[in-house]
Amino acid sequence: MTTVGEFMTTRLVTMDGGDTLTAAARVMRDSAIGDVIVTNGDSVIGIVTDRDITVRGVAEEMDGSTATLNQILTQDVVTVTQYDDAVAAADLMRTYGVRRLPVVEDGRLIGLVSLGDLAVEREPQSVLADISADEPNN
């Protein structure tokens, strides 16, 4: 059994729910990532993706310099532990229609596993694995 902890990323970017959409977009750009985990201390309260900023923020004509992550974040985030089976994590993604799962230990954020991470680990010859393993082009 391959566990989530064997391939999760620990290079995490977290932000406060009061941070602006513009600040989050800049962090994502500068870090070459597509999401930030929104935390309150060590606790995960939500996740915001680049798509959330576009669909929930920009498309709703929110002002990125004043609108906050709390206004657009996805709450009730599905999480896993580092000891969970990779196949079970993939099943959770499928069931809940998500592409990223925060990894927690005793309620504290310790990592993140993405659909791309699973593809690289479980199906290294797949197109998604090739794309996910490649360097960002932006």
Side-chain angles (χ1 to χ4, degrees):
M1 171 178 90
T2 303
T3 64
V4 168
E6 294 175 51
F7 62 92
M8 70 181 185
T9 184
T10 56
R11 185 181 143 244
L12 302 171
V13 177
T14 63
M15 295 186 79
D16 184 80
D19 289 331
T20 66
L21 306 188
T22 300
R26 286 180 179 145
V27 165
M28 289 182 206
R29 177 198 63 200
D30 295 346
S31 301
I33 57 174
D35 65 274
V36 294
I37 307 295
V38 182
T39 57
N40 182 4
D42 285 338
S43 299
V44 175
I45 61 169
I47 189 168
V48 172
T49 66
D50 47 6
R51 185 175 191 280
D52 293 332
I53 292 172
T54 302
V55 174
R56 296 179 183 168
V58 175
E60 294 298 323
E61 298 183 7
M62 291 181 174
D63 180 347
S65 64
T66 59
T68 66
L69 299 182
N70 282 332
Q71 293 176 263
I72 66 163
L73 63 76
T74 298
Q75 298 179 49
D76 302 321
V77 178
V78 180
T79 63
V80 292
T81 73
Q82 64 181 322
Y83 307 107
D84 286 335
D85 179 54
V87 173
D91 288 342
L92 280 173
M93 288 180 182
R94 184 178 304 112
T95 299
Y96 290 96
V98 296
R99 296 180 177 153
R100 298 164 182 90
L101 297 171
V103 182
V104 296
E105 184 173 305
D106 298 324
R108 186 176 55 85
L109 179 66
I110 62 167
L112 183 76
V113 62
S114 71
L115 183 61
D117 296 332
L118 284 169
V120 169
E121 176 63 27
R122 305 290 301 162
E123 298 179 27
Q125 302 306 316
S126 70
V127 172
L128 179 56
D130 284 343
I131 294 167
S132 298
D134 214 3
E135 288 295 318
N137 65 358
N138 53 1

